[in-house]
């Protein structure tokens, strides 16, 4: 059971440390364009990569020193980690649901430089590959409102933007909405507030409070950690289960409890949430979708000799475009 509000407030329902190298860069190019499709009970699941960007290694792994994490991910000469913006399309018998929306294309030249963006958004092309136009998306669930997760909700131009998904309700935790509308000096750069106000203006927002079933078989769970209003998404159909953990588990390397991004607003809550969730997901056989991994899009949490790890899911068809 959950409490929900409309936007108006009414109640409602091992790479080299010195760089990627030619072979690794080619591999990353191929994997960056990866699309994974699978069947989950009665649902069709597709991963759609919006774009790739780069983040400072220290920001990505927090207090864990580079001497420990450098064998797990590739970095370039500036210590930047390549990351994909993986969104998840869930097609139920009755609805098309997009989970997160990438960064989109409405960025200034300065923002593109900061995020290391060198290509246009692939989100709409990825949806088209699954047979969907943007008007066909019924709902967008946003794990949180940082720009690399919600920037794609607006398109057009910086001077005249429009909702990318004009018929979709956009599901956001109320706490996250409040924090995005009133950012502080530490968080302001993470939010594209003009995009968000556009959704509010067009009455395309659905604000929820806490855990909530959004549609039959699709529920959000408030986790906190990465930010106060961060939420995960649980997808269940015919006994098969997949969890989208957002930035609680951005890459397979972050399955280790202590690997927490330096940008997390409440890192100790992230730690608690990972310790609560990951052993249970492993014991119950859940699949997990990773929102920033360049290699594993959908995997399974496994426990081996008391250690958790993530392995790529079997039964998922992968497509690569060079």
């Amino acid at each position: 059971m959950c409490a929900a509000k409309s936007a108006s407030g009414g109640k409602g329902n091992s790479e080299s440390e010195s760089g990627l190298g030619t072979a690794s860069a080619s591999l990353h190019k191929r994997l960056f364009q990866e699309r994974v499709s699978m069947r989950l009970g009665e649902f069709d699941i597709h991963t759609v990569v919006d774009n790739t960007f780069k983040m400072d290694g220290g920001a990505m792994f927090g207090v864990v020193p580079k001497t420990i994490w450098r064998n797990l991910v590739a970095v370039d000469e500036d210590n930047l980690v390549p990351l994909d913006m993986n969104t998840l399309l869930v097609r139920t018998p009755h609805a098309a649901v997009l989970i997160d929306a990438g960064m989109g294309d409405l960025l200034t030249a300065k923002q593109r430089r900061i995020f290391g963006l060198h290509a246009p958004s692939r989100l709409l092309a990825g949806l088209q590959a699954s047979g969907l136009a943007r008007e066909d998306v019924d709902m967008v669930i946003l794990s949180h409102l940082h720009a690399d997760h919600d920037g794609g909700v607006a398109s057009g131009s910086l001077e005249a933007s429009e909702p990318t998904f004009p018929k979709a309700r956009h599901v956001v935790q109320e706490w996250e909405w409040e924090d995005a509308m009133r950012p502080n000096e530490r968080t302001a750069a993470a939010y594209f507030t003009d995009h968000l106000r556009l959704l509010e203006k067009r009455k395309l927002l659905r604000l929820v409070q806490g855990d909530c079933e959004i549609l039959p078989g699709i529920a959000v769970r408030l986790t906190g950690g990465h930010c106060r209003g961060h939420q995960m998404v649980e997808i269940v159909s015919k006994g098969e289960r997949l969890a989208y953990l957002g930035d609680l588990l951005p890459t397979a390397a972050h399955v280790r409890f202590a690997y927490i991004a330096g940008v997390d607003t409440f890192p100790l809550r992230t730690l608690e949430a990972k310790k609560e969730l990951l052993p249970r997901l492993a014991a119950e056989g859940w699949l997990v979708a990773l929102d920033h991994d360049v290699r594993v899009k959908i995997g399974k949490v496994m426990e081996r000799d008391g250690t958790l790890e993530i392995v790529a899911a079997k039964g998922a068809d992968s497509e690569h475009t060079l």
Side-chain angles (χ1 to χ4, degrees):
M1 184 176 182
C2 68
K5 293 183 178 181
S6 68
S8 61
K11 294 284 184 179
N13 235 5
S14 172
E15 300 291 344
S16 167
E17 179 180 341
S18 61
L20 290 171
T22 303
S24 181
S26 176
L27 175 66
H28 176 68
K29 178 181 179 182
R30 176 172 65 84
L31 287 173
F32 148 56
Q33 297 175 337
E34 181 180 280
R35 177 174 176 268
V36 175
S37 298
M38 65 184 302
R39 187 77 173 169
L40 188 86
E42 294 184 330
F43 298 171
D44 289 315
I45 307 291
H46 306 280
T47 64
V48 180
V49 178
D50 170 66
N51 214 328
T52 190
F53 71 114
K54 294 182 178 181
M55 179 176 284
D56 179 79
M60 198 64 195
F61 293 100
V63 300
V64 179
K66 183 178 180 180
T67 53
I68 295 177
W69 60 256
R70 67 182 177 186
N71 291 326
L72 299 175
V73 297
V75 296
D76 66 13
E77 63 277 7
D78 294 321
N79 198 44
L80 298 177
V81 179
L83 301 169
D84 279 347
M85 288 178 273
N86 301 319
T87 72
L88 196 68
L89 173 63
V90 183
R91 300 191 71 171
T92 79
H94 308 292
V97 180
L98 181 65
I99 303 175
D100 280 342
M103 195 173 289
D105 278 328
L106 296 191
L107 298 99
T108 65
K110 179 179 179 181
Q111 288 171 326
R112 287 189 172 275
R113 288 195 302 271
I114 291 172
F115 289 109
L117 296 175
H118 301 290
S121 167
R122 299 177 59 84
L123 179 60
L124 294 182
L127 294 177
Q128 290 171 1
S130 299
L132 289 179
R134 62 185 192 172
E135 294 84 5
D136 298 326
V137 176
D138 301 297
M139 184 166 292
V140 179
I141 301 175
L142 298 169
S143 63
H144 58 298
L145 298 178
H146 289 171
D148 56 318
H149 292 261
D150 86 314
V153 303
S155 54
S157 67
L158 289 171
E159 296 77 20
S161 61
E162 293 290 334
T164 304
F165 307 105
K167 297 182 180 180
R169 297 300 296 269
H170 295 65
V171 180
V172 179
Q173 286 287 332
E174 185 174 1
W175 277 353
E176 178 64 355
W177 178 262
E178 292 175 353
D179 292 345
M181 292 298 100
R182 293 187 291 274
N184 58 40
E185 292 83 355
R186 188 175 188 269
T187 64
Y191 295 112
F192 288 177
T193 54
D194 288 345
H195 296 6
L196 304 177
R197 292 193 176 99
L198 175 64
L199 297 179
E200 182 180 39
K201 179 181 179 181
R202 298 298 179 86
K203 303 186 185 305
L204 295 176
L205 273 181
R206 178 183 173 187
L207 301 182
V208 299
Q209 298 173 330
D211 300 349
C212 182
E213 184 179 60
I214 303 302
L215 292 170
I218 302 178
V220 297
R221 310 292 181 199
L222 178 65
T223 66
H226 184 64
C227 47
R228 183 173 67 134
H230 184 279
Q231 62 185 356
M232 62 176 285
V233 185
E234 294 180 350
I235 305 158
V236 179
S237 179
K238 297 294 184 180
E240 298 184 35
R241 296 172 289 191
L242 184 152
Y244 181 95
L245 275 70
D247 276 349
L248 285 186
L249 190 67
T251 75
H254 289 82
V255 73
R256 297 159 178 81
F257 292 150
Y259 284 47
I260 297 170
V263 296
D264 279 23
T265 311
F266 302 96
L268 294 182
R269 174 55 199 155
T270 300
L271 177 62
E272 292 173 357
K274 290 171 67 173
K275 292 170 73 172
E276 293 166 3
L277 287 167
L278 295 180
R280 177 175 67 82
L281 297 179
E284 297 178 359
W286 285 69
L287 296 171
V288 293
L290 306 177
D291 66 343
H292 288 307
D293 204 294
V294 299
R295 293 178 172 83
V296 180
K297 307 303 182 186
I298 296 178
K300 181 171 283 190
V301 185
M302 308 287 289
E303 183 174 355
R304 296 178 182 174
D305 301 322
T307 300
L308 294 176
E309 61 182 35
I310 290 179
V311 298
K314 296 180 179 179
D317 296 324
S318 300
E319 296 179 6
H320 306 278
T321 304
L322 291 172

